């Protein structure tokens, strides 16, 4: 197979970026895989040529960053927005971003796990999943509370956010009026 030049690598990166945003580390990995695919075998390629191809990857990434086509900040913002809209908590989002190779400082700029909005979102998740029962104050049994806690923990919420969500869930449940025609 022919050697991949820098222009072809740049075009491949553009094709990837037109589909969705990528973090720097993930795009670098994909480009390196593409370079490895185009080379027939590692044994037949001289070391200089392999290192030249890898430096081409770095040059392409630098060019994309300078052109504002590759931005970890933009990726982190859109990733958080997408996961938050699906009900995921801050700790699950944080772990997913770290697994994608995003710089922890970049994550910290955009994700505040102590923001009170997360407790509101956790309460919304509880209300959506475990509909409040009609008839006023209904005490939540410990088995039911444990099930709710596991659900929110799997979604990525912390213990403080979970307890705040229980308080809000209880308040909503107490405000639900009894409807004899809908019981």
């Amino acid at each position: 197979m022919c050697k991949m030049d820098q222009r072809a690598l740049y075009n491949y990166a553009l094709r990837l970026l037109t589909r969705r945003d990528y973090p720097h580390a993930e795009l670098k990995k994909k480009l390196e895989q593409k370079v490895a695919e185009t080379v027939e075998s590692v044994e037949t390629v001289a070391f200089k040529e392999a290192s030249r191809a890898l430096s081409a990857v770095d040059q392409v990434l630098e060019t994309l960053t300078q052109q504002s086509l590759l931005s970890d900040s933009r990726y982190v913002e859109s990733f958080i927005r997408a996961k938050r809209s699906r009900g995921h908590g801050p700790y699950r989002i944080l772990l997913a971003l770290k697994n994608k190779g995003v710089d922890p400082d970049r994550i910290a700029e955009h994700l505040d796990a102590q923001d009170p909005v997360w407790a509101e979102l956790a309460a919304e998740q509880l209300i959506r999943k475990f509909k409040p029962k009609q008839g006023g104050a209904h005490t939540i049994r410990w088995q039911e509370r444990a099930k709710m806690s596991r659900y929110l923990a799997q979604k990525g919420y912390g213990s403080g956010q979970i307890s705040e969500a229980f308080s809000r869930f209880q308040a909503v449940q107490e405000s639900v009026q009894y409807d004899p025609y809908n019981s």
Side-chain angles (χ1 to χ4, degrees):
M1 190 172 253
C2 66
K3 182 183 91 166
M4 175 158 259
D5 64 342
Q6 188 172 348
R7 189 73 186 154
L9 201 58
Y10 178 81
N11 289 336
Y12 176 70
L14 280 180
R15 278 195 310 273
L16 289 174
L17 287 171
T18 56
R19 293 185 193 121
R20 69 174 183 92
D21 271 338
Y22 284 90
H24 190 273
E26 190 177 354
L27 187 61
K28 181 175 183 170
K29 185 178 177 181
K30 284 195 170 287
L31 293 178
E32 287 172 349
Q33 287 173 347
K34 184 68 171 177
V35 167
E37 288 174 6
T38 58
V39 175
E40 290 177 338
S41 73
V42 177
E43 294 85 30
T44 61
V45 177
F47 180 75
K48 280 185 177 179
E49 190 172 326
S51 65
R52 192 177 315 124
L54 292 178
S55 71
V57 168
D58 292 332
Q59 290 172 354
V60 166
L61 291 172
E62 182 63 33
T63 303
L64 291 169
T65 303
Q66 288 172 355
Q67 294 174 341
S68 297
L69 297 173
L70 179 64
S71 170
D72 276 354
S73 290
R74 186 175 56 233
Y75 176 78
V76 169
E77 286 174 5
S78 66
F79 188 86
I80 291 172
R81 190 173 33 257
K83 295 302 180 184
R84 188 182 219 169
S85 70
R86 296 182 71 197
H88 294 276
Y91 299 108
R92 184 169 176 179
I93 294 171
L94 177 71
L95 183 64
L97 286 169
K98 282 183 179 178
N99 287 341
K100 290 186 174 286
V102 178
D103 181 39
D105 294 333
R106 185 78 58 194
I107 297 170
E109 288 175 18
H110 300 282
L111 182 66
D112 180 15
Q114 304 308 317
D115 190 352
V117 172
W118 292 110
E120 293 173 20
L121 189 59
E124 288 174 14
Q125 290 299 309
L126 273 184
I127 292 166
R128 186 176 299 131
K129 176 80 173 172
F130 305 95
K131 313 264 187 289
K133 306 219 180 344
Q134 294 179 347
H138 167 73
T139 56
I140 300 173
R141 295 190 323 254
W142 68 269
Q143 297 98 337
E144 196 174 356
R145 187 176 174 102
K147 183 178 180 180
M148 292 175 171
S149 290
R150 280 191 307 274
Y151 173 74
L152 289 178
Q154 288 173 349
K155 287 288 226 175
Y157 295 99
S159 59
Q161 295 158 344
I162 292 172
S163 64
E164 180 65 28
F166 280 132
S167 300
R168 293 177 190 213
F169 182 80
Q170 230 16 60
V172 168
Q173 188 158 326
E174 290 172 4
S175 69
V176 172
Q177 297 297 317
Y178 178 69
D179 183 6
Y181 299 109
N182 196 13
S183 46

